[in-house]
Amino acid sequence: MQASSHLDVHQEGSHFGPVEASQSNIFQGNFSGLTISQVAPSTYKGHYSNLSLQPVANYVQRPALHKQLRRQLHRVQTARAEVPQICMVWGLGGAGKSQLVLNYIQKYRHDYSAVIWVECGSKESIERDYIQIYRLLYGRPLGTGREILKVEDTVPAVKHWFDGREGQWLVVMDSADSIDDDQDRSYIDLRYFMPDAPGVHIIITSRSSTVQDMTLLEAIEVADMEPSEATELFRRCRRIQGLGPELETEIGQIVKELGYLALAITLAGLYVSVTPRLSSNIRRYLPEYRRRRKELLSRRSKQQVHRYGESVLSTWESSFDAVATQSPAAARLLGVLASMSFNDIFLRIFDPSVDGVSRQPDAALPPAPTWRSFFFPEGEWKYQLESALEVLQRYAFIQWRVDQQSYSMHKLVHAWGQDRLDTNTQWGHSDVALELLADATADYQLSPSYKLRLVPHLMANLGVYLERQREALGKKDPDTLRSMNNLAEVLRSQGNYDAAEQIHRQTLALKETVLGKEHPSTLTSMNNLAEVLCSQGNYDEAEQIHRQTLALRETVRSATRFSSIP
């Protein structure tokens, strides 16, 4: 740090923690200084951001979201608004919120006299930016000596600067995630920093849905990409000029496996592009991803890819920390939900009384199941369950689906919910999930349709159990192979053909190694795989495997017939 560009910052009150700022660097400290009211404001036109205001080079247009953002900010066209236009953009980490806003700036920056980007991910970053913004707005470049500023004066001065000015101004408050718990050390009172002058457009991005309560405008949720958008993003990241039908199909399977999440697709495409064995044969990516999922999703991005250089998994850890602080029960619940299906998590799994019925007559109520004490050691568990689900929904770890009247999880969040835990904790959570599901199936008033809805959760939990069995007995143990085949058949009966195909292929490969290609159990697995391929419409490969199976059966029969001749 050079003495010639040094700035001391003094902060007071609940909005701040003490910092000392030099350009874009932050240091802890306590300082006092002069107020800012003596400084005359300048006429500033330009743009401010600590990082580039350009979207990433591989950015793919998302027309529906762009249209929403434009419409929300420009709905007052005929007259100057009397209050700021505040637009909220929220969603899961890695969904592409910041890039959406950067693209908006690229298109419409000339509609504004100035564009100001504030990083709200921490107290340090938001305070650093307000100091720098004050200097720009009030014409106070860094001098050669020490200048003392009070941040609690700087913020009101920046807000006051907009009062009475002609023109349109855009202020982006990015990554405003710590806005829920005012007891949290990282809490930021966002309203304190927001300009309130007419003519100011404010865009707030956040992983918390709480931002929806800060404006009357309709919030914009950034969720999964459209399949065509996701395919185009992967193509650009892998630097593919054209797509043939086979390549497009394979990329479609990859982006579907990645849950159409923008950051995951970007990192996957870039990984393939710099890995020759994958770029020469893209079919190798999905098997490798399934083997190394946690490792690949932990790969950190460069700032040219993600504005703050995060990995898919690390981008959710800060949100999880906030969840765990606000509701330990919600944190435990997330781990248990990761041992169930990520789709159709309906409330009756937890509480049969949501439909106004009890599991048994009141005189014969069973003792409270132990899974409740795991989540809610004391107090009224139903209200605590509602609160825990609300916290998970607030941070987009789960979403309420009106059409299904149930919750769902993004499939990568579901995978991360398992992968972030050590083995023993995973097993413990899967046991709690199994007890929860067993308790739900014991509901004597549960209709057949509800029981069918439980099947995917039981199968997902069985999958976790099967993985435990593999680790305990080994992949080649006959019981493990039998369980794998049974799981694949159940998945096929549910119409989950991709997962069934994957497990059948694994089972077949292991049986060929352990039992041999001509063993009856191996031939059964070949037949099962062919049936799944038929269900997927992959008739050519299915026919080929059926013919191979038939030929091997004939070989076995012939050998058996000749060996029986005296």
Side-chain angles (χ1 to χ4, degrees):
M1 180 178 66
Q2 297 178 355
S4 61
S5 59
H6 188 91
L7 173 66
D8 286 348
V9 181
H10 176 65
Q11 307 164 93
E12 296 174 350
S14 60
H15 308 291
F16 307 104
V19 300
E20 177 185 356
S22 173
Q23 300 283 23
S24 297
N25 300 317
I26 303 295
F27 305 90
Q28 294 299 320
N30 289 287
F31 307 92
S32 60
L34 54 86
T35 62
I36 300 172
S37 58
Q38 304 159 339
V39 182
S42 68
T43 299
Y44 175 75
K45 291 190 177 182
H47 310 292
Y48 167 79
S49 175
N50 190 54
L51 298 174
S52 171
L53 283 176
Q54 293 293 323
V56 294
N58 297 321
Y59 183 76
V60 171
Q61 299 290 330
R62 303 174 73 172
L65 294 176
H66 296 157
K67 184 177 180 180
Q68 278 185 271
L69 185 55
R70 174 70 174 173
R71 184 177 67 247
Q72 292 296 328
L73 288 176
H74 294 267
R75 58 172 49 191
V76 180
Q77 297 285 353
T78 57
R80 183 179 174 88
E82 296 181 359
V83 295
Q85 297 291 96
I86 305 173
C87 182
M88 307 301 183
V89 179
W90 74 283
L92 189 66
K97 301 180 294 294
S98 298
Q99 294 301 321
L100 175 70
V101 177
L102 287 169
N103 185 72
Y104 172 84
I105 292 173
Q106 187 180 50
K107 282 189 173 184
Y108 301 112
R109 65 194 305 168
H110 297 298
D111 291 356
Y112 298 98
S113 299
V115 175
I116 295 173
W117 186 288
V118 183
E119 294 176 18
C120 300
S122 67
K123 290 181 179 180
E124 290 80 8
S125 64
I126 193 171
E127 292 158 2
R128 171 205 66 204
D129 284 346
Y130 265 82
I131 289 295
Q132 302 298 347
I133 293 165
Y134 161 73
R135 289 189 167 280
L136 290 173
L137 299 183
Y138 285 85
R140 306 287 293 182
L142 289 172
T144 57
R146 293 172 67 90
E147 181 179 9
I148 308 292
L149 297 175
K150 287 185 177 181
V151 175
E152 64 269 24
D153 291 334
T154 303
V155 174
V158 169
K159 294 166 65 175
H160 176 70
W161 185 89
F162 295 98
D163 292 342
R165 292 185 179 272
E166 295 295 328
Q168 203 91 317
W169 316 88
L170 177 62
V171 176
V172 178
M173 310 191 80
D174 189 40
S175 298
D177 303 323
S178 300
I179 58 175
D180 294 303
D181 185 4
D182 59 5
Q183 302 302 311
D184 191 340
R185 291 182 59 187
S186 62
Y187 172 76
I188 294 175
D189 182 0
L190 199 61
R191 289 189 181 278
Y192 178 77
F193 294 91
M194 292 167 55
D196 52 11
V200 178
H201 286 180
I202 301 174
I203 302 177
I204 300 174
T205 72
S206 179
R207 298 173 188 176
S208 172
S209 62
T210 300
V211 294
Q212 297 179 87
D213 302 328
M214 301 177 70
T215 179
L216 296 177
L217 299 184
E218 181 182 351
I220 299 171
E221 181 181 4
V222 181
D224 304 341
M225 302 185 78
E226 294 295 326
S228 59
E229 297 168 353
T231 299
E232 175 63 14
L233 177 59
F234 186 92
R235 185 193 68 78
R236 291 188 183 186
C237 293
R238 193 193 166 224
R239 302 181 180 93
I240 303 173
Q241 296 301 317
L243 286 181
E246 292 186 4
L247 186 58
E248 185 171 8
T249 299
E250 187 66 26
I251 292 176
Q253 293 175 350
I254 290 173
V255 297
K256 181 180 179 182
E257 184 82 7
L258 296 174
Y260 305 110
L261 184 75
L263 179 57
I265 294 165
T266 299
L267 293 177
L270 292 173
Y271 175 63
V272 169
S273 72
V274 299
T275 308
R277 60 182 169 76
L278 297 178
S279 58
S280 62
N281 185 357
I282 197 174
R283 287 181 175 272
R284 295 174 178 170
Y285 176 78
L286 272 181
E288 178 171 338
Y289 167 77
R290 288 162 180 158
R291 290 194 310 271
R292 302 175 57 212
R293 182 181 66 194
K294 182 177 181 180
E295 181 182 350
L296 292 178
L297 294 180
S298 297
R299 291 172 63 90
R300 299 189 72 86
S301 61
K302 298 179 180 179
Q303 284 190 344
Q304 294 90 335
V305 176
H306 183 275
R307 188 168 179 83
Y308 303 114
E310 292 187 289
S311 71
V312 176
L313 300 187
S314 67
T315 193
W316 297 329
E317 282 297 333
S318 59
S319 297
F320 179 81
D321 290 342
V323 167
T325 299
Q326 294 175 45
S327 174
R332 292 191 291 269
L333 179 59
L334 183 65
V336 171
L337 293 179
S339 294
M340 297 163 52
S341 174
F342 59 82
N343 193 30
D344 195 23
I345 306 166
F346 56 100
L347 290 175
R348 193 162 177 176
I349 294 175
F350 304 93
D351 180 14
S353 68
V354 296
D355 292 335
V357 298
S358 298
R359 187 166 279 134
Q360 292 183 11
D362 290 344
L365 283 175
T370 55
W371 63 261
R372 290 183 191 168
S373 60
F374 173 80
F375 293 126
F376 319 110
E378 57 186 18
E380 180 53 60
W381 71 271
K382 292 184 182 181
Y383 301 131
Q384 293 184 60
L385 173 63
E386 291 177 351
S387 177
L389 290 169
E390 189 275 328
V391 171
L392 292 179
Q393 188 176 9
R394 185 188 309 157
Y395 286 92
F397 284 138
I398 60 175
Q399 298 82 36
W400 178 254
R401 302 301 182 194
V402 176
D403 56 336
Q404 294 181 323
Q405 288 294 292
S406 63
Y407 292 98
S408 67
M409 300 175 69
H410 191 281
K411 65 187 306 180
L412 291 191
V413 171
H414 184 266
W416 163 79
Q418 288 188 33
D419 292 343
R420 67 181 307 278
L421 303 174
D422 60 68
T423 301
N424 289 334
T425 306
Q426 281 186 22
W427 290 7
H429 282 64
S430 68
D431 287 342
V432 173
L434 180 59
E435 184 190 351
L436 168 63
L437 295 170
D439 189 46
T441 57
D443 184 354
Y444 81 104
Q445 293 189 356
L446 201 63
S447 67
S449 61
Y450 271 114
K451 289 181 179 179
L452 285 175
R453 293 174 72 181
L454 282 172
V455 171
H457 298 292
L458 290 165
M459 290 302 98
N461 188 260
L462 177 60
V464 177
Y465 169 78
L466 180 59
E467 190 60 37
R468 291 167 60 178
Q469 188 179 48
R470 286 176 180 173
E471 294 182 7
L473 302 177
K475 290 184 178 180
K476 299 179 181 180
D477 182 83
D479 288 338
T480 301
L481 296 176
R482 192 176 302 111
S483 296
M484 290 175 66
N485 183 76
N486 293 342
L487 175 59
E489 282 301 284
V490 171
L491 290 169
R492 181 168 73 92
S493 68
Q494 294 176 318
N496 193 345
Y497 302 125
D498 291 345
E501 178 196 353
Q502 178 187 350
I503 295 175
H504 270 315
R505 288 190 186 278
Q506 293 175 355
T507 307
L508 177 59
L510 289 168
K511 284 185 176 181
E512 287 178 342
T513 301
V514 177
L515 304 176
K517 291 187 176 182
E518 298 178 356
H519 192 279
S521 182
T522 303
L523 298 178
T524 299
S525 286
M526 290 181 67
N527 184 75
N528 290 342
L529 175 59
E531 290 297 322
V532 171
L533 293 171
C534 278
S535 299
Q536 293 175 307
N538 191 349
Y539 301 118
D540 291 341
E541 187 178 2
E543 178 186 356
Q544 180 183 359
I545 294 176
H546 270 313
R547 290 184 180 279
Q548 292 174 354
T549 306
L550 180 61
L552 287 169
R553 289 189 190 278
E554 290 295 332
T555 300
V556 172
R557 288 196 189 99
S558 298
T560 303
R561 187 166 55 249
F562 283 116
S563 65
S564 63
I565 298 176

